């Protein structure tokens, strides 16, 4: 039933059980997935607010564009690999194949950790070149955006480590199926956020 | 992945074994609701006391010497922030949202009970951080609840070193807690409704809380972002919001930031925040009115659409708080228009509440007193909003007591009257006992009449042009001495209302032990939460089997029915349906005289 | 039933209160009648709705109260009724919004013939600037603000040289001419409000906001800051005097231009020293103060403060009823013939050795510190040294008994209530931080520890 039709029905006219034998769920998905998608919308609002602020602030006269360290290209590659490995793990687990699952899962996490390490290297090189957080608003935004993004990734790694531990202790792919699917979605989201941010940072 | 409907799963409830795990580290939504509610009311009392201290100063300057200029501004700030965020938001969503959503949705609990518990404890942490600011050097921030930079972190503002940082940290922590709770409420409403419970069969309470939570999830990020950026400015010396300025004669090391950018972000959160508080109140009061009028809520669909429309519009009106902020004045055309458009769905809600009473069979129970009191104060507060929303009228009135009177009427008194209505209404279900009728009525009269005595005259101080946020009026040419007499009267009314709240607390605690047994459904209510097998509902809510819903929650006084209400879980075979009576409202003779 | 009657009475009472209320808009003194018109339209529309809905509400509560054998009517919705109500509401909203938008269009469109002036706000003072003969305001910015150039005018900009500077709370404008106020701030947000003009606008650091109006009535009106700007917000006052064009022109001609304020000759310390002989009788040869003769310590006080107080004594702003010390100062100050003599005197006092005065009071130092750091330090600074920026004199190391007397005078209205003592009036407001003599002594004790 379309959303419009749903909210225009006259509830006092129909009696009885609508929707058959099952309880009502608005979406055909696990609640965890619904919650994650909503959270992704919330996170998108956070990053959009920062982006809007970025563009507003950029218009003011004291803005000096920051030349982004080349390290960021490498980091982008690391995050792409991490995302691909997660997708692989997800495909494996939904096909019921446990063989390379552990390798894919560990690899995905390790590349994400490498990405964060790479971001720290980028911070470090900026610092040693004299670009501190308070030197210029462009720098401030760079540190703020990359830092917030890395924090989100760290949150994902926490869930990743929990699934890894569960897989190690139980060894059953089915037990980690949902959390791998959710992690994959989250990783793709953070990859897109990063790509958008990277594009904005390097073009302004 | 095949989908297993959630409510059908024998959900793994965390079954508590000890008193501590049952009442402290509880994952039961009802216990968490009461924890949320209790904490919120406690900080609310702190904020109430702060407001009384301010009123003593304003009404009788120099007579009490309870607060000096510095602590006055701290009281202004903490009173506002606590009331808006830590009391109203937490109590409506964390308190009533938690208690009622699973019960009204026919679910055993929230979908993520552990996250729900975590949400409360993180909320408590944010409250403790906020309270800690009373005890740090310099005290809490005195920047006003809007925390506008650059003032908030400058030496001329109380609490500009520790206080403001604790405030920003506390807000950040609160937003984390809110997001955890909010994801839970929304997902539960979407995915955990029992069989037969379509969205359009949900009570308006759930609709109000549901939409308000969505607003919160989208609006709080703006506050989060501005809080983080302001923390950077304060602690790391960045210049997101801080322009080149002078503090006590020497230039500060800031350059180029935009204070107005902060205001946009703040009000992009701040205006939806008004509706985060108002929409749950709209929902709760609708259900109270319908139940005690023994009549379905009038125009249910319109009520749902209005909630959605108000929620949507609330994101494009924020800059009406900034008409005189120095932003591009051409924005005024757009924001005045959108703001006044909101008046239409809001007015429709008011009409429908009153029309719900029309041809009802009104039981003047205590919740009904508060609900009708709400209609009156909300009409008043809503209408004064039309003054402030219209940009040219806002010019003379903004930053005067008219604004203070307006938002206290619409966002203070009105939601609080609904809170009391709701607490008295659901108290029998929560505790299994009735409140004391006489005390509750006394509480209503003192609160309703007392608050009107505070805020009606306050509008007139605003017309006169008396500025808000003044520790003392000092001498001016245009404020007559009589304004001070009026201030004194307002203060006396405020002290009276403050003291009258004791009646509420006495009643709530006394009745827990000595109140009459209430029975499962003392109001004869049709909605699902009154149909639980136990009162108060046990852990898991529904005993062995989840309920099945056959009708909407407003089947009151259905023609031909055995009683004047039909519970939502009564199968159609047991009661006649309206269709059988060939009901057609357009040809109803009783509508002829409208 | 009772509630129905009460709501009826509240509606009647509100209407009576409205018409009986002596509190209403101030008499308008600018050409913004259309704003008042919009207010009146809104008032009648909303007033009608308020009365109509609430009376209907009261009627419903009365008419449909619970009765034996009565049953509510089952009536889920009535689309026709709801559409009519929505339409009527929309008409009401348009009725209020339309004039609002039209008036707003005139508010945002500044007429071409409006003359500009500038308002500058800073914690917690007002200052004003008028374009000089060239009719153009020179460039000014916060980064350039110093004690000798408090307006921060760029000295390189030729347009700024003839700008007329008013460092003080009172400004003048001519009647019957549209004016555009350019608003600037040096620190926090402030707000320029004159209730009788109906318009107001924030002052935002980092940008120039504006508002325009046309004064229509001569007279003196309060300027208020209506944007919370820190602890001194409530004492940040100013005044605008609306003059006839002639009066305005002569007032303006008497104000110094920027170039004149920068070209003041250096004061003569020697001349000041010669005149100081008279002062030394009571204030001591080194300006160290003498409590027995009621002469506070002068050495170490900031020159601008000495100058201002001497002018106050000379013109009777200080030394009114009850202020015996101030009355004694009046004839002394009159021996200083003109502003140059006053500046010479202040310059000489600035050369005197600044040794801390003897302490004479003792109180609860912790309470004093608490009060001082929360309420006084914002202007007088944490170390009690004071600053020209907030018009706060030095307190640390000065005569504590004099501090006690003066705060007492502020509290009891002996000092600070003279119409021209703007800065003193600020202290009248702030002195409420100390509840009485005991707390004043506590604060004095703490200030003694700052030397």
């Amino acid at each position: 039933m379309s959303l419009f039709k749903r909210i225009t029905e006259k509830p006092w006219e129909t009696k009885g059980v609508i929707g058959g034998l099952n309880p009502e769920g608005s979406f055909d998905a696990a609640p965890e997935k619904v919650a994650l998608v909503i959270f992704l919308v919330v996170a998108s609002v956070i990053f959009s607010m920062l982006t809007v602020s970025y563009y507003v602030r950029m218009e003011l006269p004291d803005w000096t564009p920051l030349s982004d360290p080349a390290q960021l290209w490498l980091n982008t590659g690391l995050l792409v690999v991490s995302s691909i490995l997660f997708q692989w793990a997800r495909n494996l687990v939904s096909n019921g194949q446990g063989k390379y699952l552990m390798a894919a899962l560990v690899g995905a996490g390790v590349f994400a950790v490498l990405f964060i390490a790479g971001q720290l290297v980028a911070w470090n090189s900026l610092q040693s070149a004299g670009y501190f957080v308070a030197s210029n608003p462009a720098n401030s935004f760079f540190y703020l955006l990359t830092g917030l993004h890395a924090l989100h990734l760290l949150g994902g790694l926490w869930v990743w480590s929990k699934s890894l531990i569960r897989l190690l202790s139980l060894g059953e792919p089915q037990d980690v199926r949902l959390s791998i699917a959710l992690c994959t979605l989250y990783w793709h989201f953070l990859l897109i956020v990063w790509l958008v941010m990277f594009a904005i940072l390097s073009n302004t | 992945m095949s989908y297993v409907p959630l409510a059908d799963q024998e959900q793994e409830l965390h079954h508590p074994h000890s008193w501590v795990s049952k009442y402290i580290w509880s994952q039961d939504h009802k216990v968490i609701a009461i924890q949320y509610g209790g904490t919120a009311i406690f900080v609310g009392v702190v904020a109430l006391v702060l407001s009384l201290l301010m009123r003593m100063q304003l009404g009788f300057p120099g007579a009490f010497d309870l607060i000096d200029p510095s602590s006055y501004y701290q009281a202004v700030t903490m009173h506002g922030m606590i009331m808006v965020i830590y009391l109203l938001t937490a109590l409506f969503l964390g308190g009533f949202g938690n208690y009622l959503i699973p019960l009204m949705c026919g679910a055993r609990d929230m979908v993520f009970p552990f996250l729900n518990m975590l949400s409360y404890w993180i909320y408590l942490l944010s409250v403790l951080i906020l309270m800690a600011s009373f005890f740090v050097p310099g005290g809490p921030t005195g920047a006003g609840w809007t925390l506008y930079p650059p003032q908030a972190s400058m030496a001329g503002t109380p609490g500009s070193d520790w206080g403001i940082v604790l405030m920003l940290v506390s807000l950040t922590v609160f937003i984390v807690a809110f997001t955890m709770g909010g994801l839970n409420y929304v997902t539960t409403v979407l995915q955990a409704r029992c069989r037969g419970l379509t969205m359009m069969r949900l009570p308006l309470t759930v609709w109000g809380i549901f939409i308000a939570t969505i607003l919160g999830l989208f609006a709080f990020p703006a506050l989060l972002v501005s809080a983080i950026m302001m923390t950077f400015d304060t602690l790391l010396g960045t210049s997101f919001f801080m322009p080149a300025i002078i503090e006590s004669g020497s230039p500060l090391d800031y350059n180029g930031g935009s204070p107005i950018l902060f205001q946009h972000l703040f009000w992009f959160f701040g205006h939806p925040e008004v509706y985060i508080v108002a929409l749950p109140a709209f929902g709760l009061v609708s259900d109270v009115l319908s139940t005690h009028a023994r009549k379905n809520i009038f125009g249910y669909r319109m009520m749902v659409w209005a909630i959605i429309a108000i929620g949507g519009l609330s994101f494009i009106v924020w800059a009406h708080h900034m008409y005189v902020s120095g932003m591009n004045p051409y924005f005024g055309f757009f924001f005045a228009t959108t703001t006044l458009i909101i008046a239409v769905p809001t007015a429709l809600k008011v009409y429908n509440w009153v029309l719900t009473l029309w041809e009802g069979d009104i039981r003047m129970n205590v919740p009904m007193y508060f609900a009708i009191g709400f209609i009156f104060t909300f009409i008043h507060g809503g209408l004064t909003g039309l003054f402030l929303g219209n940009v040219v009228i806002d010019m003379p009135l903004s930053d005067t007591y008219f604004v203070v009177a307006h938002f206290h009427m619409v966002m203070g008194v009105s939601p609080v009257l609904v809170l009391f209505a709701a607490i008295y209404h659901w108290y029998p279900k929560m505790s299994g006992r009735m409140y004391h009728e006489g005390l509750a009525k006394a509480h209503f009269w003192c609160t309703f009449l007392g608050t009107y005595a505070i805020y009606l005259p306050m509008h007139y101080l605003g017309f006169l042009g008396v500025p808000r946020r003044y520790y003392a009026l000092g001498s001016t040419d245009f404020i007559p001495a009589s304004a001070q007499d009026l201030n004194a009267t307002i203060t006396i009314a405020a002290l009276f209302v403050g003291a009258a709240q004791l009646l509420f607390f006495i009643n709530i605690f006394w009745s827990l032990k000595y109140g009459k047994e209430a029975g499962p459904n003392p109001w004869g209510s049709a909605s699902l939460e009154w149909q639980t097998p136990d009162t108060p509902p046990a852990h898991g809510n529904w005993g062995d089997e989840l309920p099945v819903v056959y009708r909407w929650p407003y089947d009151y006084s259905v023609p031909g029915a055995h009683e004047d209400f039909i519970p939502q879980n009564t199968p159609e075979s047991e009661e006649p349906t309206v269709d059988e009576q060939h009901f057609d409202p357009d040809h109803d003779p009783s509508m002829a005289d409208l | 039933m009772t509630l129905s009657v009460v709501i009826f009475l509240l509606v009647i009472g509100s209407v009576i209160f409205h018409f009986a209320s002596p509190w209403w808009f101030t008499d308008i003194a600018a050409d913004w009648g259309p704003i008042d018109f919009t207010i009146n339209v809104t008032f009648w529309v909303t007033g009608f709705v308020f009365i109509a809905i609430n009376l209907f509400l009261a009627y419903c509560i009365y008419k449909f109260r619970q009765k034996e054998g009565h049953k509510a009517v089952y009536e889920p919705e009535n689309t026709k009724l709801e559409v009519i109500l929505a339409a009527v509401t929309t008409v009401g909203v348009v009725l209020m919004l339309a004039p609002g938008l039209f008036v707003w269009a005139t508010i945002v469109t500044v007429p071409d013939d409006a003359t500009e002036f500038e308002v500058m706000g800073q914690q917690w003072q007002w200052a004003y600037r008028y374009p000089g003969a060239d009719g153009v305001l020179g460039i000014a910015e916060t980064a350039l603000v110093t004690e000798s150039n408090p307006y921060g005018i760029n000295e390189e900009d030729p347009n700024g040289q003839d700008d007329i500077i008013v460092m003080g709370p009172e400004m003048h404008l001519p009647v019957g001419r549209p004016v555009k106020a350019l608003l600037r701030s040096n620190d926090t947000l402030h707000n320029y409000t004159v209730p009788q003009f109906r318009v107001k606008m924030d002052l935002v650091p980092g940008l120039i906001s504006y508002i325009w109006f046309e004064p229509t009535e001569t007279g003196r009106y309060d300027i208020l800051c209506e944007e919370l700007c820190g602890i001194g917000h409530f004492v940040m006052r100013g005044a605008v005097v609306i003059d006839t064009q002639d009066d305005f022109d002569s007032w303006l001609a008497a104000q110094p231009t920027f170039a004149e304020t920068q070209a003041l000759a250096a004061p003569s310390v020697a001349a000041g020293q010669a005149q100081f002989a008279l002062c030394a009788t009571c204030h001591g040869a080194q300006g160290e103060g003498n409590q027995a003769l009621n002469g506070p310590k002068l050495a170490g006080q900031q020159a601008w403060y000495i100058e201002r107080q001497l002018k106050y004594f000379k013109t009777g702003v200080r030394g009114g009823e009850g202020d015996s010390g101030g009355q004694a100062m009046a004839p002394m100050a009159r021996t200083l013939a003109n502003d140059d003599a006053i500046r010479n005197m202040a310059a000489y006092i600035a050369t005197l050795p600044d040794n801390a005065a003897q302490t004479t009071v003792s109180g609860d130092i912790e309470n004093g510190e608490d009060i001082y750091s929360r309420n006084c330090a914002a202007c007088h600074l944490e170390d009690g040294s004071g600053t020209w920026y907030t018009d706060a004199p030095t307190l640390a190391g000065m005569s504590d008994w004099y501090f006690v007397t003066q705060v007492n005078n502020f509290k009891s209205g002996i000092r600070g209530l003279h119409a021209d003592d703007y800065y003193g009036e600020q202290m009248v407001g702030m002195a409420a931080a100390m509840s009485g003599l005991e707390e004043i002594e506590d604060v004095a004790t703490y200030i003694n520890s700052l030397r």
Side-chain angles (χ1 to χ4, degrees), chain B residues 24-91:
Chain B
I24 306 293
W25 306 107
S26 173
Q27 297 184 21
D28 181 350
H29 71 101
K30 299 181 290 298
V31 179
I32 295 171
I34 288 164
Q35 289 172 326
Y36 247 117
T39 311
I41 291 174
F42 170 76
V43 279
V45 171
V46 173
L48 176 71
V49 171
L50 290 175
S51 72
L52 296 180
L53 288 174
M54 287 188 281
R55 276 314 322 175
M56 308 260 271
Q57 161 62 26
L58 292 172
F60 307 96
F64 294 104
D65 284 316
L66 291 170
I67 49 178
D68 53 27
S70 178
S71 39
Y72 179 83
Y73 288 111
Q74 293 171 325
V76 165
T77 308
M78 296 303 270
H79 168 79
M81 194 62 100
I82 290 176
M83 287 300 197
V84 172
I85 307 269
Y86 298 88
L87 170 72
L88 288 172
T89 308
L91 189 49

Side-chain angles (χ1 to χ4, degrees), chain B residues 68 398 452 470 473 477 591, chain C residues 14 75 200 222 237 374:
Chain B
D68 53 27
S398 73
Y452 199 60
Y470 268 34
L473 293 182
D477 294 330
M591 296 303 294
Chain C
S14 303
E75 185 197 6
K200 61 166 68 93
D222 291 300
R237 299 289 171 83
R374 291 188 310 110

Side-chain angles (χ1 to χ4, degrees), chain B residues 196-336:
Chain B
L197 189 55
T198 59
M199 288 300 273
M200 290 306 273
R201 280 183 177 175
L202 285 172
L204 287 171
T205 294
V206 178
W207 269 108
I209 294 174
F210 176 65
I211 299 293
T213 309
I214 293 178
L215 294 191
L217 287 172
F218 292 171
F220 272 114
L223 180 65
L224 179 75
V225 163
S226 45
I228 292 174
M229 285 157 85
M230 196 159 155
T231 314
F232 269 51
D233 278 2
T234 310
L235 296 181
L236 302 178
T238 56
S239 298
F240 291 117
F241 305 129
M242 300 292 270
I245 44 171
I246 300 173
E247 180 183 87
S248 312
S250 14
L252 289 179
D253 198 13
Y254 292 113
N255 192 31
S258 166
I260 291 190
L261 173 60
F262 176 89
Q263 298 182 24
H264 279 296
L265 287 170
F266 182 87
W267 288 114
F268 187 81
F269 145 76
H271 196 80
E273 171 62 32
V274 174
Y275 292 99
I276 291 169
V277 171
L279 294 183
F282 292 172
L284 290 161
V285 83
S286 304
D287 286 349
V288 171
L289 284 167
S290 170
T291 306
H292 296 275
R294 312 309 299 156
K295 194 172 163 233
N296 62 282
I297 192 77
F298 182 83
Y300 173 86
R301 299 190 303 162
M302 187 64 91
M303 296 300 252
V304 172
W305 301 337
I307 286 177
I308 296 171
I310 293 169
L313 284 169
S314 74
F315 280 101
I316 52 165
V317 298
W318 77 89
H320 68 214
H321 298 269
M322 298 167 60
Y323 287 147
V324 298
S325 71
M327 67 169 180
N328 186 336
Y330 284 90
F331 288 178
F333 293 107
F334 175 77
F335 286 101

Side-chain angles (χ1 to χ4, degrees), chain A residues 7-165:
Chain A
I7 64 163
T8 49
E9 72 184 20
K10 296 180 176 176
W12 53 89
E13 286 185 348
T14 41
K15 305 289 162 183
V17 179
I18 307 172
L21 292 173
N22 289 334
E24 295 289 330
S26 296
F27 300 99
D28 188 9
E32 285 83 357
K33 190 169 177 194
V34 173
L36 178 65
V37 171
I38 300 169
F39 177 74
L40 296 186
V41 178
V42 173
S44 316
V45 179
I46 295 180
F47 285 107
S48 333
M49 286 289 146
L50 282 168
T51 309
V52 171
S53 309
Y54 185 88
Y55 279 104
V56 171
R57 188 66 182 83
M58 206 172 77
E59 296 304 313
L60 297 171
D62 63 327
W63 183 277
T64 317
L66 180 71
S67 63
D68 299 309
Q71 174 77 32
L72 294 186
W73 287 99
L74 176 63
N75 295 353
T76 307
L78 292 171
L79 195 58
V80 170
V81 173
S82 175
S83 226
I84 291 172
L85 286 173
F86 257 118
Q87 185 64 43
W88 186 37
R90 194 198 139 138
N91 292 349
L92 287 175
V93 84
S94 57
N95 295 337
Q97 295 167 301
K99 199 169 169 201
Y100 298 109
L101 181 59
M102 186 61 83
L105 194 57
V106 170
V110 167
F111 273 93
V113 172
L114 284 177
F115 168 81
I116 294 176
Q119 295 289 72
L120 285 175
V121 170
W123 279 23
N124 225 338
S125 65
L126 279 176
Q127 299 258 347
S128 48
Y131 295 106
F132 301 105
V133 63
S135 328
N136 190 274
N139 307 7
S140 315
F141 270 107
F142 179 85
Y143 286 102
L144 179 58
L145 286 167
T146 51
L148 259 183
H149 181 261
L151 266 182
H152 278 80
L153 203 57
L154 280 176
L157 281 171
W158 181 65
V159 179
W160 166 80
S161 64
K162 273 179 47 175
S163 345
L164 195 65
I165 289 167

Side-chain angles (χ1 to χ4, degrees), chain B residues 68 70 156 299 301-302 324 351 359-360 362 390 395-396 398-399 452 460 470 473 477 482 555 583 591, chain C residues 14 18 23 64 66 70 73-78 82 89 96 200 202 222 225-226 231 237 374-375 425:
Chain B
D68 53 27
S70 178
R301 299 190 303 162
M302 187 64 91
V324 298
Y351 302 148
E359 296 190 319
I362 302 170
N390 205 348
M395 272 261 175
S398 73
D399 296 309
Y452 199 60
Y460 288 79
Y470 268 34
L473 293 182
D477 294 330
S482 61
D555 263 346
F583 176 77
M591 296 303 294
Chain C
S14 303
H18 170 72
W23 307 290
F64 304 107
Q66 184 186 9
H70 177 253
V73 174
Y74 189 77
E75 185 197 6
E77 71 176 14
N78 181 339
E82 283 174 285
T89 310
M96 291 180 286
K200 61 166 68 93
D202 277 5
D222 291 300
C225 176
E226 294 202 358
I231 188 173
R237 299 289 171 83
R374 291 188 310 110
N375 294 287
E425 193 187 336

Side-chain angles (χ1 to χ4, degrees), chain C residues 116-120 127-130 137 140 151 182 184 208:
Chain C
E116 292 188 343
F117 69 100
E118 192 178 66
V119 176
M120 191 181 70
Y128 313 95
R129 182 162 68 126
Y130 298 80
L137 289 166
Y151 222 101
L182 300 167
R184 286 205 302 130
I208 302 173

Side-chain angles (χ1 to χ4, degrees), chain C residues 117-192:
Chain C
F117 69 100
E118 192 178 66
V119 176
M120 191 181 70
Q122 67 183 43
Q123 287 176 330
W124 286 275
Q125 320 294 349
W126 297 102
Y128 313 95
R129 182 162 68 126
Y130 298 80
D134 62 0
V136 181
L137 289 166
I139 296 169
E141 49 189 308
T142 302
L144 299 175
V145 169
T146 59
E147 182 171 359
S148 61
N149 182 7
Y151 222 101
I153 292 171
N154 188 333
E155 290 170 26
E156 311 289 308
D157 183 4
N159 292 330
Q161 293 299 323
D162 65 347
D163 287 358
I164 290 154
I165 307 290
V166 181
M167 293 306 295
E170 188 177 284
M171 61 172 292
H172 290 237
L173 286 174
V175 70
R177 291 262 306 275
V179 286
K180 179 185 183 185
L182 300 167
L183 310 168
R184 286 205 302 130
S185 166
N186 273 336
D187 37 48
T188 73
L189 303 172
H190 298 284
N191 179 297
Y192 181 80

Side-chain angles (χ1 to χ4, degrees), chain B residues 469-494:
Chain B
R469 290 172 164 171
Y470 268 34
Y471 169 73
L473 293 182
S475 58
T476 59
D477 294 330
F478 71 98
I479 303 176
S482 61
Q484 190 52 49
D485 303 335
L486 189 59
N487 253 333
T489 318
I490 291 173
T491 297
I492 291 166

